[in-house]
Amino acid sequence: MSYSNSSMGSGSRTGRRTFEFGRTYVVKPKGKHQATIVWLHGLGDNGSSWSQLLESLPLPNIKWICPTAPTRPVAILGGFPCTAWFDVGELSEDCPDDFEGLDASAAHIANLLSTEPADIKLGIGGFSMGAATALYSATCFAQGKYGNGYPYPVNLRAIVGLSGWLPGARSVRNKIEGSHEAARRAASLPILLSHGLCDEVVPHKHGERSYHALSLAGFRNLSFKTYEGIGHYTVPKEMDEVCNWLNTRLGL
């Protein structure tokens, strides 16, 4: 298998907490390297399982980087510790977002992409909580800064979110509308959202709400795919559409 392990992990320090990220798995391109995508796993998973699936996709020009989230207590699991990109209580518009955790993960992802060659197109994708983190990164890219105000350092060309949601959806429109540069970046960033209609873990309505929140905030290059009869998992048809979308949007 053509992926290699990096060192065991790296830390990302924010104001109050230090997050220790787990092992990163890399799937090297089988053809000419044209794009690099960081792919983010869901709650309780790790980078290894997704690296094996991504390696099987017919995308020979993409390098995949699959990091592993820090292990932390998670409120939705009653404080039980597991791998998570940020803390989450419940999926509701009233539940506060863990922006400190989101910023730490978004910074870790951006750091992984920042060492790629200048001519390589960069993207972020993910499943479930990984999709939520990818979408949060998209809003940071558009604003040009993280939630904590530090500058966002990389130029994103594609975002894929499977069975996820948008953290901070209530405030994203105000943050982007106030800046011409932010509005320009939002309008130009291609985003693919897809969601199973029978998802009982992250209900389909959260995907729809995320789509509408991004659209209202000025993200114009949006696609939203719904899969009937599909729960909280991926199927070959969905991954085929992801491949076709990436080939088109990244010009591979």
Side-chain angles (χ1 to χ4, degrees):
M1 193 166 287
S2 65
Y3 64 81
S4 60
N5 297 346
S6 75
S7 60
M8 282 302 290
S10 65
S12 179
R13 184 178 294 277
T14 60
R16 295 191 309 278
R17 293 180 284 170
T18 298
F19 301 95
E20 290 298 327
F21 290 82
R23 180 171 292 178
T24 294
Y25 299 81
V26 176
V27 180
K28 297 175 182 176
K30 298 179 179 71
K32 182 187 177 186
H33 184 197
Q34 294 179 291
T36 296
I37 297 176
V38 171
W39 191 272
L40 308 171
H41 62 75
L43 180 65
D45 202 356
N46 61 66
S48 175
S49 57
W50 276 99
S51 71
Q52 295 171 55
L53 171 64
L54 296 168
E55 188 184 32
S56 70
L57 299 180
L59 293 168
N61 306 117
I62 293 180
K63 171 184 173 181
W64 300 94
I65 302 177
C66 302
T68 299
T71 297
R72 71 178 84 207
V74 179
I76 202 170
L77 302 177
F80 184 81
C82 71
T83 53
W85 299 109
F86 53 94
D87 191 17
V88 60
E90 58 179 296
L91 292 183
S92 77
E93 294 182 4
D94 301 321
C95 189
D97 289 293
D98 173 22
F99 286 111
E100 188 183 3
L102 283 160
D103 278 344
S105 289
H108 181 68
I109 296 157
N111 287 342
L112 291 172
L113 289 170
S114 66
T115 56
E116 292 299 292
D119 60 334
I120 299 300
K121 297 166 184 173
L122 307 177
I124 305 172
F127 173 77
S128 192
M129 177 180 264
T133 309
L135 293 176
Y136 180 73
S137 295
T139 64
C140 293
F141 162 71
Q143 293 170 66
K145 60 186 177 183
Y146 300 103
N148 59 24
Y150 287 107
Y152 190 80
V154 293
N155 181 29
L156 298 178
R157 299 288 295 273
I159 299 287
V160 178
L162 311 182
S163 308
W165 71 97
L166 173 64
R170 287 166 296 180
S171 59
V172 67
R173 181 179 181 180
N174 288 339
K175 290 177 179 177
I176 288 172
E177 277 186 340
S179 160
H180 290 299
E181 274 300 299
R184 182 188 62 78
R185 283 190 293 265
S188 67
L189 178 61
I191 300 178
L192 172 64
L193 304 176
S194 76
H195 220 111
L197 207 52
C198 299
D199 193 328
E200 295 178 350
V201 178
V202 181
H204 182 267
K205 66 181 181 183
H206 292 290
E208 282 190 314
R209 286 174 184 167
S210 300
Y211 171 80
H212 290 304
L214 288 166
S215 182
L216 285 171
F219 288 87
R220 303 271 176 256
N221 203 339
L222 274 176
S223 302
F224 183 56
K225 303 273 187 182
T226 293
Y227 293 88
E228 292 189 20
I230 301 302
H232 197 63
Y233 48 83
T234 59
V235 292
K237 180 185 177 185
E238 182 180 36
M239 296 312 294
D240 287 346
E241 295 211 25
V242 169
C243 291
N244 292 336
W245 186 87
L246 285 171
N247 273 324
T248 301
R249 293 302 183 278
L250 295 175
L252 302 177

